[in-house]
Amino acid sequence: MRGNWRNYIGPGPLVAAAFIGPGTVTVCTLAGVNFGFDLLWALALSMVATVVLQEMAARIGLVTQKGLTEVIGETLTKGIVRYFSLGLILLAIVLGNAAYEAGNISGGAMGIEIFIKAPVLTIGQASINMINLSIGLIALVLLMTGNYKLIEKYLIALVILMSITFLVTAVMVRPSMLAIFQGFVPGVDSGNILTIVALIGTTVVPYNLFLHSSLVSKKWKSGEDLKFVRVDTIVAVVLGGLVSMAIVITGASGNADAINNAVDLALGLEPLLGAAAKYFIGFGLFAAGITSAITAPLAGAFVVAGCFGWSTDIKNWTMRVSILAILGLGLVFSSFGIKPVQLITFAQLANGILLPLLSAYILWVINKASVMGKYRNSLGFNVLGLAIWVITLVLGIRSIMRVLEGI
């Protein structure tokens, strides 16, 4: 029996690390500031949706021993549907992750800048933020080691520390337990609908599905290991959801008049926690940024390799080039202060289309006896999956509308 507990520890923490990025911290902070505890129910709903989708994606990876992109390539064998699907995935995940990578790196740097002033290197007309550059290089070096276990250990450690930071902060502000429980009573109106969509959308993300399915196939090799996959997935997503809730609670308890980001939250907490507030928030934001800065290029590289039928071994040159391209673009954008607005807009549009289509595809594959055998969905799981698909459809439509409104 000795050592068996390790079977339950897989890529789940990487999934949590991927969706708790600087964007999630900011969205949850603003939700707490603007609506108090009222939208905790939306995060609970997003946890359920994420567990269901991630479990199905992970189950596909376990049974087929392939990532989602490879499975899509094999099940959609010809015609315009195949090329449209793979093209959409490439555009949404690869370009999107390259654009969002700048935000991951910059968010992590924002956390560090609470501790130290950012040194800037000036070369000619260009100014390079050295903290952004350092975070990007740390992520790159770790990924270039080609050692999944090493990457996993570092990410698990950072996720645990980040979780402790935000959870302890939420406890220290001494929120009303009655108010917290009341926050799990659903309520939707014209004033909070956009924030509800943002809270769910920042948790249910397409690239995590690709990342999870690929990593599961590298950790476990038999359908008999499904119980380990499920425990790993549920624990990681629930932990991530609790961290998001802790950020909402912390945001609701701050005293700042105007909060636009997580750094402002630290100032708002100083009357409650003193000078320690900025250090808690600073470290949490740094951990959220650097963990997402590591997982985003890895997920993108899995997608590139799957689309072109290349090896998904992280030591393979094709994976390394893909990682370098995605992380490198994010590093350039963040270090030079470039805001790739058009790239981000395009990625949002592509992701808005991809999320409901990908969810529908997962439901289709998970029910194919020829692919899943005895591990296909039960009736109850299909009913739940269909409900989650409706949520992804609403998220996708809202994402597309938001892009079109801005054009």
Side-chain angles (χ1 to χ4, degrees):
M1 295 293 291
R2 186 179 176 183
N4 282 357
W5 61 270
R6 291 187 178 87
N7 291 331
Y8 291 94
I9 301 177
L14 278 70
V15 171
F19 76 73
I20 305 177
T24 301
V25 175
T26 300
V27 167
C28 291
T29 296
L30 295 176
V33 169
N34 296 325
F35 301 100
F37 306 138
D38 291 352
L39 300 185
L40 288 175
W41 68 268
L43 281 174
L45 177 62
S46 72
M47 282 168 56
V48 174
T50 303
V51 166
V52 172
L53 280 176
Q54 295 291 159
E55 189 278 341
M56 289 193 292
R59 199 180 344 147
I60 291 171
L62 177 68
V63 173
T64 64
Q65 285 295 291
K66 296 181 177 72
L68 264 181
T69 317
E70 297 163 275
V71 176
I72 289 171
E74 291 179 1
T75 53
L76 304 177
T77 55
K78 59 183 179 180
I80 192 170
V81 174
R82 170 188 168 85
Y83 297 110
F84 172 79
S85 300
L86 294 177
L88 180 62
I89 290 168
L90 270 174
L91 291 173
I93 304 300
V94 179
L95 286 183
N97 283 10
Y100 298 139
E101 184 70 352
N104 293 331
I105 295 171
S106 298
M110 198 181 296
I112 290 293
E113 286 170 9
I114 288 179
F115 297 86
I116 59 173
K117 183 175 174 59
V120 177
L121 177 65
T122 302
I123 303 176
Q125 300 296 314
S127 297
I128 302 174
N129 184 308
M130 296 305 292
I131 293 181
N132 288 24
L133 184 62
S134 299
I135 288 176
L137 290 176
I138 290 170
L140 182 62
V141 168
L142 189 57
L143 287 167
M144 288 297 121
T145 63
N147 188 328
Y148 279 118
K149 289 186 177 180
L150 180 66
I151 295 169
E152 193 174 86
K153 285 179 181 177
Y154 274 104
L155 285 175
I156 288 174
L158 281 169
V159 168
I160 290 173
L161 289 173
M162 175 178 64
S163 302
I164 291 172
T165 299
F166 284 123
L167 291 171
V168 168
T169 305
V171 171
M172 289 174 67
V173 297
R174 298 180 181 178
S176 163
M177 294 306 296
L178 177 60
I180 288 175
F181 287 129
Q182 289 174 338
F184 289 96
V185 178
V188 181
D189 57 49
S190 59
N192 66 19
I193 183 65
L194 293 182
T195 304
I196 291 170
V197 171
L199 285 172
I200 299 174
T202 196
T203 309
V204 184
V205 288
Y207 92 72
N208 251 351
L209 300 170
F210 293 97
L211 179 67
H212 202 182
S213 61
S214 295
L215 290 177
V216 159
S217 67
K218 296 183 181 299
K219 168 70 178 181
W220 294 286
K221 300 300 180 184
S222 165
E224 301 303 318
D225 294 326
L226 183 58
K227 59 181 180 293
F228 303 131
V229 175
R230 284 176 167 163
V231 170
D232 177 61
T233 301
I234 293 170
V235 170
V237 173
V238 169
L239 176 62
L242 290 175
V243 169
S244 297
M245 290 180 185
I247 298 169
V248 171
I249 292 168
T250 305
S253 305
N255 295 324
D257 294 329
I259 293 182
N260 297 308
N261 54 50
V263 177
D264 293 337
L265 175 60
L267 300 176
L269 290 174
E270 283 189 358
L272 288 170
L273 306 181
K278 64 181 181 181
Y279 299 117
F280 275 97
I281 299 301
F283 179 79
L285 190 56
F286 162 71
I290 195 168
T291 52
S292 294
I294 293 168
T295 52
L298 185 59
F302 278 131
V303 166
V304 172
C307 282
F308 293 103
W310 297 336
S311 169
T312 56
D313 183 348
I314 197 171
K315 293 181 180 179
N316 188 278
W317 71 269
T318 52
M319 279 287 287
R320 293 192 174 194
V321 168
S322 301
I323 288 171
L324 183 61
I326 295 169
L327 201 155
L329 277 174
L331 191 54
V332 168
F333 291 147
S334 64
S335 297
F336 287 93
I338 301 169
K339 295 183 178 179
V341 177
Q342 290 181 324
L343 191 58
I344 291 174
T345 300
F346 188 80
Q348 288 175 333
L349 183 61
N351 271 295
I353 299 170
L354 176 62
L355 182 57
L357 290 179
L358 181 61
S359 303
Y361 172 81
I362 288 173
L363 271 173
W364 175 63
V365 170
I366 207 77
N367 283 289
K368 282 179 69 72
S370 59
V371 176
M372 299 301 297
K374 65 180 182 179
Y375 297 103
R376 61 187 183 273
N377 263 7
S378 63
L379 176 61
F381 226 109
N382 276 332
V383 171
L384 190 56
L386 186 61
I388 302 305
W389 175 78
V390 172
I391 292 173
T392 66
L393 182 63
V394 171
L395 288 173
I397 291 172
R398 179 56 204 158
S399 179
I400 294 167
M401 287 175 62
R402 186 170 57 189
V403 172
L404 296 178
E405 287 167 1
I407 296 176

